[in-house]
Amino acid sequence: MEQTSITKKMYLTLGCSLLGAVLALAFPGEMTYATFAAPVNALGQALRELSLSGTGGNAAAWVITLVVSLLPLIPFLLLRRKRKAAEDWVLVLLIPQLFALIYYAVNPTLIDSMAAPFLPVGQLGVILATAVTWLVLAFLRALAEAPGERLAAAVGVLLTGCAFLLAFGAGFSQAVAWRSAADSVRSGNTGDVTFTLIMLAVLGVLRAAPYLLGAAALLWGGRLVEAVGREPFSRDTVQLCDRTALACRMAAEAAVILALTVNLLQLMAFSLLVKVDFQVELNLLPLALAGAMFLLSRWMRQGLALREDNDSII
């Protein structure tokens, strides 16, 4: 059952990486402030037209503005009904931020600054940062208050989520880098650049692979954390820790070899390429996890030995 679960997570991790690459290639090449501000400006334009349509339209525009601004009160009132934690009040900060976002989108002429077109993007960034701050603080409090097995399960979920995010970011960033490099090659060369474009794609896949290995190491770590939460000093858990440490070590070794392979491939095909990019890279995530797993394995074996000694005495 555990092997099937980790295999499914591996496929999901690969899917996240492919999704990131597809989204990166699907988006327009030039992402400007206007691209991100367009939805806010469209909302402001619609509310402004509604407000100017008459007294009823003006009242409806205000109602919509207030309803959207007060949406953070829903989680604020639903969560921790008996007592409010300090981080819950961060949600209240979203109310004036959302109101200001909509109000200035409806009335952009009130902004007396040459940087007025960039304000919606800045406001969206602050709103996102506020929401992320609340989520992180709430999650940390939940971890601190959780019992042992529940805590292990939560950390396992956290590691799995980090693995998916790492894989998505690797696919997205490498696809963006490939598109940028491909555009540069096409604009700067009039000859056949097909081989260079194919080589750039291969190198992008190889450069994404170490991050995928790091994501796999996080998945293995998450499985181990869940097992430790259930039974920290059982023989099965110790063996799982040994296998996880070995897998992390192999991932670290593969990441280093892949980084070297990227440079060697470019060197061997140097005369055929119109663009090269030599890099010295070291993905520390699998390496750090391997060291932590080996150390944890030693501690768990010592704990298992003490437990067996105590059982034999009893």
Side-chain angles (χ1 to χ4, degrees):
M1 179 66 74
E2 286 187 359
Q3 188 62 34
T4 303
S5 177
I6 196 69
T7 302
K8 289 181 179 179
K9 290 179 180 179
M10 291 288 188
Y11 284 124
L12 286 174
T13 301
L14 182 60
C16 288
S17 179
L18 293 175
L19 176 62
V22 170
L23 290 178
L25 296 176
F27 275 119
E30 294 295 331
M31 300 291 288
T32 63
Y33 281 98
T35 305
F36 295 101
V40 178
N41 293 333
L43 175 62
Q45 178 66 25
L47 290 177
R48 182 163 57 253
E49 293 176 357
L50 179 62
S51 178
L52 295 174
S53 64
T55 304
N58 184 50
W62 275 107
V63 169
I64 294 174
T65 300
L66 293 176
V67 168
V68 174
S69 300
L70 294 175
L71 285 177
L73 284 179
I74 297 177
F76 178 79
L77 295 176
L78 292 179
L79 295 174
R80 301 179 182 273
R81 294 183 178 181
K82 294 182 179 180
R83 60 186 180 87
K84 296 297 180 185
E87 64 271 10
D88 291 337
W89 294 96
V90 176
L91 287 171
V92 180
L93 294 176
L94 289 172
I95 296 175
Q97 293 175 19
L98 287 171
F99 179 81
L101 175 70
I102 299 174
Y103 183 78
Y104 286 113
V106 176
N107 305 281
T109 56
L110 296 178
I111 308 171
D112 186 16
S113 172
M114 295 181 63
F118 305 102
L119 180 62
V121 179
Q123 290 175 308
L124 287 174
V126 174
I127 291 172
L128 179 60
T130 303
V132 170
T133 299
W134 172 74
L135 285 173
V136 172
L137 293 176
F139 184 76
L140 290 174
R141 177 175 288 275
L143 288 182
E145 297 177 351
E149 187 170 344
R150 184 179 171 186
L151 174 61
V155 173
V157 171
L158 175 62
L159 292 176
T160 300
C162 289
F164 291 160
L165 185 61
L166 180 62
F168 179 87
F172 188 90
S173 62
Q174 292 301 324
V176 168
W178 177 85
R179 185 175 61 187
S180 176
D183 291 342
S184 176
V185 168
R186 292 192 188 100
S187 62
N189 298 273
T190 57
D192 186 8
V193 295
T194 303
F195 180 77
T196 298
L197 296 180
I198 294 175
M199 181 60 72
L200 287 174
V202 172
L203 295 179
V205 172
L206 292 177
R207 285 190 171 126
Y211 295 96
L212 296 179
L213 291 171
L218 287 173
L219 293 178
W220 296 325
R223 181 178 63 170
L224 177 62
V225 166
E226 293 174 357
V228 171
R230 291 191 299 268
E231 186 60 46
F233 296 115
S234 70
R235 190 167 296 279
D236 290 341
T237 302
V238 173
Q239 292 175 353
L240 177 60
C241 185
D242 290 339
R243 293 198 301 271
T244 302
L246 179 60
C248 290
R249 174 186 172 183
M250 294 174 63
E253 293 172 345
V256 175
I257 293 173
L258 285 170
L260 175 61
T261 302
V262 169
N263 291 326
L264 288 177
L265 284 177
Q266 293 184 95
L267 191 61
M268 289 187 294
F270 189 83
S271 61
L272 302 175
L273 300 174
V274 297
K275 181 179 178 60
V276 293
D277 183 19
F278 293 98
Q279 297 181 11
V280 179
E281 297 177 307
L282 177 61
N283 192 333
L284 296 177
L285 182 58
L287 183 61
L289 283 176
M293 291 302 106
F294 280 122
L295 183 60
L296 180 61
S297 176
R298 303 297 187 273
W299 288 343
M300 292 179 67
R301 286 196 175 278
Q302 292 175 5
L304 178 62
L306 291 173
R307 179 177 179 178
E308 291 176 345
D309 289 341
N310 291 335
D311 291 343
S312 64
I313 293 174
I314 295 174

